[in-house]
Amino acid sequence: RVWSSSAEAGTTLAFSWAKQACATLELVATLKDFISRIFGAGSTSTPASESANAMPTFPAGVTPWLVIGLGNPGAEYEATPHNVGYMAIDALLVRTGSHLAPLKGLHAHAAATELAGKPVLLVRSTTFMNESGIAVKDIAEHYSISLDQVIVVHDELDLPLGKVRVKQGGNENGHNGLKSTTEYMGSRDYVRVRMGISRPPQGVTVIDHVLGPIEAGPELDSMIDVAADAVTEIVNNGLAAAQQKIHSRK
């Protein structure tokens, strides 16, 4: 080596700057990915070059859980109260390092993954809210998934903003996504993770409320995390244990 001390110092400094620049770029990419998962559909889908549009397969005798977040597709609906179910699915995708891909012949995008070591399909329907049941029925039939292994994550007007509750069955309370799911499944006895968005303030219609902008912040972030926790707890320990754990949170 025939470097002068000043040249060597300059080279060392250049390497240091390069390493810092790479670290910064990686951090920015990670943050962009996280933000787009929560508020956008783009980054949660597998790139076209990686997706074969094939139906995921599971070992013989293994039935996955079907976890579907209700919402409306399209950029204009991404950050609305009606799409908090999508946001919960995105949080689970982040946690599991999974990506959505189209399901061939079905009205849905899905990721085959595991929660608590158990096989799960994380799903977004590609229909609008009032036809959500099409995807639920088609996927459940394809994999022979029973109602007690179907988890629907949705917005709930009758809960305060930020509150999460878990139940099985019951009325749809006017929710068109639940109405569609009940219609196509022929039963109300699927599991629900309900994410509170509150009733609209006086003078605001329900439609304007659920399709208007949702306020980002710690309350929304916490609700999304709790909903993802609820799904994981249901899969791991069952409905009763999930209710006890999630409903005890303030």
Side-chain angles (χ1 to χ4, degrees), residues 174-196:
H175 193 293
N176 287 331
L178 296 180
K179 286 181 179 179
S180 176
T181 301
T182 296
E183 176 187 354
Y184 279 93
M185 295 300 290
S187 173
R188 290 172 165 163
D189 292 334
Y190 46 89
V191 181
R192 306 167 195 190
V193 175
R194 306 159 66 214
M195 303 175 67

Side-chain angles (χ1 to χ4, degrees), residues 83-101:
N83 272 40
V84 293
Y86 271 20
M87 297 176 197
I89 293 298
D90 290 345
L92 289 165
L93 290 168
V94 172
R95 291 184 183 189
T96 59
S98 305
H99 296 272
L100 296 176

